[in-house]
Amino acid sequence: MNVSEPVPGVFFVEGPASNWLIVRDDSGFILIDGGYPADRDVVLESVRGLGLDPAAARAMLITHGHVDHTGSAAYFSRTFGTPILCSPEELAHVQGKEKHQVTFGQVLIRAWRPKVFRWMLHVIKAKALQAEPATRAEAWTAETLQSLPGQPRAILLPGHTPGNAAILLPGAGVVAVGDSFVSGHPISRQSGPQMLHGMYHSDPEAALEATHRLDEVEASVVLPGHGPALGLPLAEALSALRKQK
């Protein structure tokens, strides 16, 4: 785990294989995403390491319902009563009523590649196959989000999953893009802004097209779900992303 503070009050946690955020202001704190199921203790440690009480989290916002982002959600909901919030379009996925996840078969046919094989082993060790859905998750509204620390704003970016979203923190000039695009991944040879391998997306073409919904968004720091923070304007990150294609 590596914790940085790209801007005051926004803490970027690079976990064992995926990232999450802690956003703090005078009204309390929220989490954005929550790692794999096996990352739960690391998530708790990252909160306590900032002098915060996990039970006091105002909410956990979920960018999308994949197990490497929802792994702590059911625990926080059950143990602390933390509201678990996601886009209305993603709610059934987060609650476990639908599944939009890379399949074991998709991974297995690529497991001859060393990077994919190592990633597959990590996923198993991270308890992805034992993931517990956040059955009490609720859909966010613009008003609910505005009432939370950082006054987040959701931007729907379907394609990675049907209800995938980025979360803008306007006052901080930060956008958490989840897996809409990333800056690195264990099976990628590239670094910097890039799309995940197509097998991770429900609709790869739609996922890339959806990034154009970010074209008019103002942000000076981009925080992805995988890879390091990008300390550059969102417009530059998008330009670099599109040069990869």
Side-chain angles (χ1 to χ4, degrees):
M1 177 179 66
N2 179 55
V3 183
S4 60
E5 190 177 9
V7 300
V10 178
F11 299 88
F12 181 62
V13 187
E14 295 179 75
S18 63
N19 307 326
W20 57 91
L21 279 69
I22 302 167
V23 181
R24 180 176 68 184
D25 65 17
D26 292 341
S27 67
F29 77 97
I30 60 171
L31 292 127
I32 300 177
D33 288 340
Y36 277 101
D39 294 337
R40 186 187 73 192
D41 288 344
V42 185
V43 175
L44 293 169
E45 180 185 349
S46 70
V47 172
R48 291 176 177 138
L50 298 176
L52 302 171
D53 178 1
R58 297 272 306 278
M60 179 183 287
L61 309 185
I62 302 296
T63 59
H64 64 287
H66 286 165
V67 296
D68 54 334
H69 296 261
T70 64
S72 300
Y75 175 83
F76 270 77
S77 175
R78 181 178 61 252
T79 306
F80 306 127
T82 308
I84 308 301
L85 305 176
C86 64
S87 73
E89 296 83 355
E90 195 73 357
L91 184 59
H93 190 191
V94 175
Q95 291 178 336
K97 297 175 182 178
E98 296 179 359
K99 189 162 187 173
H100 305 279
Q101 186 88 32
V102 61
T103 67
F104 185 71
Q106 286 176 301
V107 177
L108 197 60
I109 62 173
R110 298 174 174 87
W112 60 270
R113 295 170 53 189
K115 285 179 178 287
V116 176
F117 184 74
R118 288 194 296 269
W119 174 80
M120 182 177 68
L121 290 181
H122 178 86
V123 166
I124 294 170
K125 291 178 181 178
K127 299 184 178 179
L129 301 180
Q130 292 86 45
E132 179 184 359
T135 56
R136 290 185 282 182
E138 299 177 2
W140 59 43
T141 66
E143 293 74 21
T144 300
L145 292 176
Q146 279 289 300
S147 71
L148 294 173
Q151 297 184 311
R153 181 164 69 87
I155 304 164
L156 188 66
L157 301 173
H160 182 58
T161 63
N164 176 69
I167 298 171
L168 178 67
L169 302 169
V174 169
V175 63
V177 295
D179 290 0
S180 305
F181 66 91
V182 299
S183 62
H185 189 270
I187 76 166
S188 174
R189 297 179 179 179
Q190 303 174 346
S191 60
Q194 60 189 275
M195 300 298 291
L196 286 170
H197 188 285
M199 70 176 174
Y200 294 114
H201 301 298
S202 296
D203 185 334
E205 291 186 9
L208 180 60
E209 180 62 27
T211 65
H212 286 281
R213 298 187 181 194
L214 296 171
D215 287 349
E216 304 304 318
V217 175
E218 295 281 342
S220 56
V221 176
V222 180
L223 301 180
H226 300 274
L230 295 169
L232 75 170
L234 176 58
E236 291 185 21
L238 292 171
S239 176
L241 170 70
R242 289 160 191 160
K243 287 177 182 177
Q244 299 289 339
K245 297 294 176 181

